[in-house]
Amino acid sequence: MQTFILARLIALAAVAVFLAGCAGGPPAGQWTTDSRAQDLFESGVVLPDHAYYYIGSFAMPDSVIAIDRRFTLRTRVWAETDMTEAKLNGWLHMFRTENYPAACIYRGGVILTPDGRRAGYWYSRNIYNIIYMPEEGVLEVYRPHADAGRVCGQDINSK
């Protein structure tokens, strides 16, 4: 009888540990496509009260984000840039003149906090991403990707 009770307690403890592991981690936000956000980026207007960041080459970034200054971006992958309309329009000209496969064209969208507030905008060839808010007002925006294991145009697992 005692062995049976001990076995049940061990099983219940294992289930509790498993469920606690699944529940861990910071709250997740969203990186969603939005045609109005894409139009906003493509208008070439620099948004006031937004900090701009990019990934990739400074001459032609893979992705650009504009984060509302109410939030702080915690990052190891995004480089901040002092955005001007001339710089943004130069990037947009490069984006428009490059010939990508249809699956790799630039798109735009919004970055949402876990509670649905708009924290910023994105413009990228890669439409999937992970957004975390480890503490109030702090965002972690990962490197966007095209699908599992790929960044548009290259395999991120090679090299």
Side-chain angles (χ1 to χ4, degrees):
M1 182 72 158
Q2 287 181 342
T3 306
F4 176 73
I5 293 173
L6 183 59
R8 280 187 90 176
L9 287 174
I10 290 172
L12 286 173
V15 168
V17 168
F18 175 76
L19 291 176
C22 292
Q30 294 180 32
W31 169 283
T32 62
T33 57
D34 182 290
S35 61
R36 290 171 298 178
Q38 181 170 332
D39 292 344
L40 181 63
F41 249 104
E42 291 175 347
S43 73
V45 174
V46 175
L47 300 171
D49 300 321
H50 284 73
Y52 282 78
Y53 302 83
Y54 67 95
I55 287 179
S57 162
F58 178 77
M60 189 165 163
D62 294 328
S63 302
V64 181
I65 58 175
I67 301 294
D68 190 303
R69 291 197 186 273
R70 295 176 299 152
F71 300 93
T72 300
L73 180 66
R74 183 185 300 165
T75 184
R76 292 186 195 150
V77 297
W78 295 94
E80 188 169 8
T81 186
D82 290 326
M83 187 58 74
T84 64
E85 287 191 8
K87 184 188 298 181
L88 181 56
N89 283 298
W91 283 352
L92 288 167
H93 176 73
M94 293 295 292
F95 299 153
R96 290 178 186 126
T97 58
E98 288 295 317
N99 294 318
Y100 295 111
C104 290
I105 61 172
Y106 282 81
R107 291 181 176 82
V110 294
I111 299 169
L112 301 173
T113 64
D115 61 2
R117 292 177 289 159
R118 186 196 46 78
Y121 299 95
W122 62 267
Y123 194 70
S124 177
R125 295 183 295 162
N126 300 292
I127 62 171
Y128 301 107
N129 206 346
I130 298 169
I131 310 296
Y132 285 127
M133 182 175 268
E135 57 190 85
E136 182 58 38
V138 176
L139 292 174
E140 293 178 353
V141 178
Y142 286 65
R143 179 182 176 146
H145 55 93
D147 58 27
R150 293 192 59 79
V151 170
C152 202
Q154 67 186 38
D155 185 347
I156 60 175
N157 295 319
S158 65
K159 290 191 177 182

